[in-house]
Amino acid sequence: RKVIHIKKGGHTMIALLRIDERLIHGQVATSWSKALDIDTIVCASDEAAQNPLKKKMLLIAAPPGKKTHVRSVDEVIGLLQDPRAERMKIFLLTDNPKDALKLVSALGLKNVNLGNYHNRKAEHTASVSMYVQLDRDDLGALKEISERVADAYVQSLPSTEKTSLKAFVAAAEKAEWK
């Protein structure tokens, strides 16, 4: 597979990969889209891509004037490996850490933000912050991302303080698991 790197200057591509279970919502449509100055939003979610109602709701929630795509993770990897994507400034969203790791591995991403994620399906989880509840597999994926990505952090809004993902993972490893 071809690995795409973020290019400086005239051709930027992926401004940020954000892990947010809600994908497109008010904060993404307003604060993040403006702060990143993007022209395209790409949601990488197998679940959303296969659910016509969810897909339609995400497209409706997208900010006006922004090209928006909702595709499976594998489709997104293929889409972003197309040289035409290099001309876009993309805000990439996924709804869980495991898919984020798959995207990081395939695309060589340099910026990852953990936003809002609650694993409600897992039996044993740890609530690491008000915005993040993980199981051990999620934690393993986040740990690998923190080791592979130069700029990996936790931040709910562009105006709030960043916490390094490495520090967040270290705290999560000490959290109380239920």
Side-chain angles (χ1 to χ4, degrees):
R1 286 193 165 161
K2 178 182 167 196
V3 176
I4 296 176
H5 298 281
I6 296 174
K7 296 182 178 182
K8 302 285 184 207
H11 296 303
T12 45
M13 197 173 110
I14 299 168
L16 179 66
L17 166 60
R18 179 174 168 90
I19 304 165
D20 192 319
E21 68 179 295
R22 301 166 294 173
L23 296 170
I24 301 173
H25 54 87
Q27 292 172 349
V28 165
T30 57
S31 300
W32 283 104
S33 293
K34 287 178 185 169
L36 296 171
D37 189 30
I38 49 98
D39 55 40
T40 305
I41 296 174
V42 177
C43 295
S45 168
D46 295 341
E47 180 189 345
Q50 295 170 5
N51 181 330
L53 180 60
K54 187 167 187 170
K55 186 174 182 176
K56 185 175 185 174
M57 296 304 292
L58 289 168
L59 294 172
I60 289 169
K66 307 292 182 203
K67 292 178 202 134
T68 305
H69 305 276
V70 179
R71 301 268 164 54
S72 72
V73 175
D74 288 336
E75 286 176 310
V76 165
I77 290 168
L79 180 77
L80 297 182
Q81 288 176 332
D82 185 316
R84 292 173 291 183
E86 292 177 11
R87 294 189 297 268
M88 300 176 212
K89 192 164 185 189
I90 298 168
F91 185 18
L92 179 57
L93 297 158
T94 193
D95 52 13
N96 68 79
K98 292 172 216 93
D99 286 344
L101 178 57
K102 187 174 182 179
L103 291 161
V104 164
S105 298
L107 300 171
L109 303 175
K110 304 291 181 227
N111 302 43
V112 177
N113 165 247
L114 173 59
N116 189 347
Y117 176 71
H118 292 84
N119 187 333
R120 292 179 177 89
K121 296 174 186 165
E123 275 187 52
H124 303 288
T125 61
S127 291
V128 187
S129 76
M130 190 165 92
Y131 303 106
V132 181
Q133 179 185 355
L134 307 165
D135 71 7
R136 294 214 184 264
D137 289 339
D138 297 325
L139 182 59
L142 290 174
K143 184 173 186 168
E144 193 166 337
I145 290 168
S146 76
E147 292 166 355
R148 295 171 77 172
V149 176
D151 190 16
Y153 56 91
V154 181
Q155 185 180 27
S156 56
L157 290 168
S159 59
T160 60
E161 192 174 330
K162 289 182 183 182
T163 301
S164 113
L165 188 58
K166 277 188 184 186
F168 185 84
V169 164
E173 288 175 327
K174 297 174 188 166
E176 184 178 321
W177 293 83
K178 297 177 184 175

